[in-house]
Structures are given as structure tokens and as C-alpha cells.
């Protein structure tokens, strides 16, 4: 089952994608796609619905993030062995955990705003895990029981703010629009093995990332268990699980980064594909 949210920013309505690729409106059934929606009993009721009985949403309608109302957007750094190698970093002995601002959340086809005076805005295709039931101090054996589904994420990162302006990563990750999520939440029954998914990023039509979740250092099960030891995971929370090689920071011989007017296509096998344009910040800026 593929769940989504459609409509203008701040006015999104719940929906689902039918087998023919038509978006169906779920407003008569749910108020929104959030932590309450992701309870196992609610998901079972949604799965029993005949999508053909729901109204079709007009083609071209904007899609927002497929889930809202989360408590945490959690990210994992350097979680792919081949990505760690391209950046010259030692593979971590324990997961590197940091938080992404909730204000960074963005729709899968919305513009990505390049911050004023940014020199190093980068892309990161990531498998996102969406939590369905509260996970607190859970074991690895029990971890997957807390998963509602998966989505495509792009952990957009400003590398100068991330690594060159103090020791914390969060500020390079939390800019407005730096968290595209979706296009849909794919329930876990449709993803039998989250460690065997091809993933990619194209920039202006050129393939820059072409990887697989198989090269994760810490797999989904391990990450959920580990994070739950220090951060309580609530229904609707999202874990960005790391990125494969091919980011701008890792380009040889010279790293390169995004500028306004570029197109990104970020996708994961079975989970769909995002398409975003980069745009310059248009607001006031005090230099």
C-alpha cells in the first residue's frame, strides 16, 4: 500500500496510490497521514479499502511529505562503507546520530532553496524508515515490529555549515526545504528486504549516485534498536538511514555542489522517485 498527502502546502489531504498509478483521495476515511494513521489496526483497515471506490485526485496535483506530525526527524551519518571511503572517513564503530530540523521537511517535487551565500549545498539519496508504533529500548529482534513503512528521502546538506563552522552537523542539515520526503509511504509488507534496494540520484540528467542499501554498515534493524536506546521513537517519526557514494563532497579530483537552476531526480527501487528544482533564496538577507 502506498500512502501519500496531496494538495497545497499546509492544506494537504490524505490519499493512496492505486494499482494503476491513480491517486485516490482518503479524506472521507482519515483526517491526515500521521502517527495515528500508522497504527497497525488502522493500516489493516486501509488495506481492505477498494481504491476504485475513492475519488480520483486530478493529475498534476502537488504532493506533500507522505507523513506529518512527527516528533523526530533522525539522521544517520556515514552509514555506507563505500560512502565513508569516498569521503576519506573511517567507518564508524557505532551509528552517528543527529537530528534534522522539522522545518526542513519538504514535498518530493517541491523546490529546494539554496541558502543565501551557500557554497556547498549537496545531495544525499536515503532510505527513510517511518515508525508505526512507539519504540523505546527495543531489541534488534523486535525492531522491525515498529516499522510502518519506507520512503525516499533526500538529506540535503550544506557542507560548509555542516563541517567547517563548528563541530555539530545539525545546522548544515536543517535549512528550509532540506528534507524532501516521498512521494509516498510504502508499507513494509511491500518491501520484503530493505537491505536489497537499488538507489540513485541524477543531477541535470547525469547519474551521480548509483548504490544499494546492501552496503549499509548498520542495517535498518540495528539502527532502530540503537536509536531507541537514546531517543524514544514515536509513531510518524522518520529515520534517514544514510547515503551511498556519489555525493558532491566526494567527487574526485574536485568536489562540486549544487547551484540554482538544477534538477535532481532521487529514487529508490519500489519506493518511487522525487524530482526537485534548486532555486535561489528570494527573501531578505542581512549580510
Amino acid at each position: 500500500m502506498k500512502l501519500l498527502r496531496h494538495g497545497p502546502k499546509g492544506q494537504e489531504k490524505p490519499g493512496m496510490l492505486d494499482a494503476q498509478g491513480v491517486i485516490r483521495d482518503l479524506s472521507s476515511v482519515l483526517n491526515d497521514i500521521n502517527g495515528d494513521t500508522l497504527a497497525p489496526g488502522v493500516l489493516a483497515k486501509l488495506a481492505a479499502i477498494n481504491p476504485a471506490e475513492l475519488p480520483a485526485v486530478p493529475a498534476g496535483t502537488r504532493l506533500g511529505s507522505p507523513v506529518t506530525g512527527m516528533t523526530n526527524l533522525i539522521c544517520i551519518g556515514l552509514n555506507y562503507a563505500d560512502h565513508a571511503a569516498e569521503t576519506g572517513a573511517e567507518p564508524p564503530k557505532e551509528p552517528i546520530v543527529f537530528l534534522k530540523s522539522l522545518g526542513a521537511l519538504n514535498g518530493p517535487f517541491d523546490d529546494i532553496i539554496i541558502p543565501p551565500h551557500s557554497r556547498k549545498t549537496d545531495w544525499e539519496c536515503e532510505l527513510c524508515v517511518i515508525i508505526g508504533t512507539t519504540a523505546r529500548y527495543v531489541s534488534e529482534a523486535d525492531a522491525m515490529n515498529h516499522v510502518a513503512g519506507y520512503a525516499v528521502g533526500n538529506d540535503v546538506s550544506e557542507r560548509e555549515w555542516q563541517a567547517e563552522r563548528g563541530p555539530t552537523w545539525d545546522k548544515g542539515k536543517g535549512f528550509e526545504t532540506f528534507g524532501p520526503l516521498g512521494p509516498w509511504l510504502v508499507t513494509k509488507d511491500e518491501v520484503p528486504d530493505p537491505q536489497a534496494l537499488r538507489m540513485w540520484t541524477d543531477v541535470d540528467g547525469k547519474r551521480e549516485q548509483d548504490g544499494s542499501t546492501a552496503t549499509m554498515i548498520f542495517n535498518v534493524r540495528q539502527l532502530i534498536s540503537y536509536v531507541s536506546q537514546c531517543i524514544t521513537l514515536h509513531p510518524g517519526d522518520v529515520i534517514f538511514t544514510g547515503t551511498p557514494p556519489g555525493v558532491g563532497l566526494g567527487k574526485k579530483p574536485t568536489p562540486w555542489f549544487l547551484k540554482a537552476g538544477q534538477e535532481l531526480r532521487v529514487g529508490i527501487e519500489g519506493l518511487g522517485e522525487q524530482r526537485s528544482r534548486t532555486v535561489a533564496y528570494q527573501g531578505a538577507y542581512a549580510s
Side-chain angles (χ1 to χ4, degrees), residues 184-206:
W184 25 78
L185 182 164
V186 181
T187 51
K188 67 178 178 181
D189 57 293
E190 293 194 11
V191 186
D193 185 1
Q195 306 307 146
L197 302 176
R198 182 171 161 259
M199 51 203 308
W200 63 89
T201 299
D202 295 348
V203 181
D204 291 336
K206 183 176 182 294

Side-chain angles (χ1 to χ4, degrees), residues 113-281:
I113 300 170
I114 304 293
H117 301 340
S118 169
R119 299 186 302 157
K120 297 182 178 181
T121 297
D122 205 348
W123 60 88
E124 293 191 10
C125 175
E126 307 211 5
L127 172 67
C128 288
V129 179
I130 301 173
I131 300 299
T133 58
T134 301
R136 182 185 292 111
Y137 309 123
V138 302
S139 67
E140 290 184 19
D142 185 48
M144 300 305 285
N145 292 329
H146 297 276
V147 175
Y150 304 92
V152 180
N154 184 1
D155 179 22
V156 184
S157 307
E158 215 297 334
R159 301 299 189 187
E160 181 180 17
W161 280 84
Q162 176 187 352
E164 300 172 33
R165 303 189 63 164
T168 58
W169 286 17
D170 304 52
K171 61 185 179 292
K173 304 282 191 167
F175 287 95
E176 184 180 0
T177 73
F178 270 28
L181 186 67
W184 25 78
L185 182 164
V186 181
T187 51
K188 67 178 178 181
D189 57 293
E190 293 194 11
V191 186
D193 185 1
Q195 306 307 146
L197 302 176
R198 182 171 161 259
M199 51 203 308
W200 63 89
T201 299
D202 295 348
V203 181
D204 291 336
K206 183 176 182 294
R207 181 96 353 142
E208 300 294 348
Q209 286 187 285
D210 191 356
S212 169
T213 57
T215 66
M216 280 186 184
I217 297 170
F218 304 102
N219 63 30
V220 169
R221 185 183 300 275
Q222 292 170 316
L223 291 176
I224 294 169
S225 175
Y226 184 91
V227 172
S228 79
Q229 309 304 312
C230 57
I231 299 173
T232 298
L233 296 168
H234 299 276
D237 281 359
V238 179
I239 304 175
F240 287 71
T241 60
T243 197
V247 300
L249 179 66
K251 296 300 181 185
K252 303 292 190 298
T254 305
W256 61 270
F257 302 98
L258 296 169
K259 59 184 183 297
Q262 294 186 285
E263 181 184 75
L264 279 76
R265 299 180 66 140
V266 178
I268 298 178
E269 178 185 3
L271 304 185
E273 185 177 77
Q274 304 176 357
R275 182 181 295 184
S276 304
R277 295 285 299 179
T278 55
V279 299
Y281 176 71

Side-chain angles (χ1 to χ4, degrees), residues 1-195:
M1 184 168 54
K2 296 178 175 67
L3 300 176
L4 54 91
R5 298 171 64 249
H6 61 91
K9 283 189 177 182
Q11 303 175 45
E12 292 92 345
K13 299 177 181 180
M16 66 167 52
L17 192 73
D18 71 16
Q20 288 71 45
V22 176
I23 295 174
R24 300 287 179 167
D25 183 63
L26 276 170
S27 297
S28 62
V29 182
L30 299 170
N31 290 325
D32 213 337
I33 307 294
N34 52 32
D36 292 338
T37 308
L38 303 179
V42 178
L43 290 180
K45 290 179 181 178
L46 293 177
I49 292 173
N50 178 4
E53 297 177 355
L54 298 171
V57 174
T61 298
R62 174 189 173 271
L63 296 186
S65 162
V67 64
T68 190
M70 64 284 292
T71 301
N72 297 297
L73 290 178
I74 296 164
C75 297
I76 308 298
L78 295 176
N79 192 36
Y80 283 67
D82 36 9
H83 171 55
E86 77 171 343
T87 63
E90 288 292 324
K93 293 181 172 56
E94 294 190 34
I96 297 172
V97 179
F98 59 96
L99 299 176
K100 198 172 186 76
S101 167
L102 295 176
L105 199 65
N106 206 30
F109 307 115
D110 291 344
D111 292 341
I112 294 171
I113 300 170
I114 304 293
H117 301 340
S118 169
R119 299 186 302 157
K120 297 182 178 181
T121 297
D122 205 348
W123 60 88
E124 293 191 10
C125 175
E126 307 211 5
L127 172 67
C128 288
V129 179
I130 301 173
I131 300 299
T133 58
T134 301
R136 182 185 292 111
Y137 309 123
V138 302
S139 67
E140 290 184 19
D142 185 48
M144 300 305 285
N145 292 329
H146 297 276
V147 175
Y150 304 92
V152 180
N154 184 1
D155 179 22
V156 184
S157 307
E158 215 297 334
R159 301 299 189 187
E160 181 180 17
W161 280 84
Q162 176 187 352
E164 300 172 33
R165 303 189 63 164
T168 58
W169 286 17
D170 304 52
K171 61 185 179 292
K173 304 282 191 167
F175 287 95
E176 184 180 0
T177 73
F178 270 28
L181 186 67
W184 25 78
L185 182 164
V186 181
T187 51
K188 67 178 178 181
D189 57 293
E190 293 194 11
V191 186
D193 185 1
Q195 306 307 146

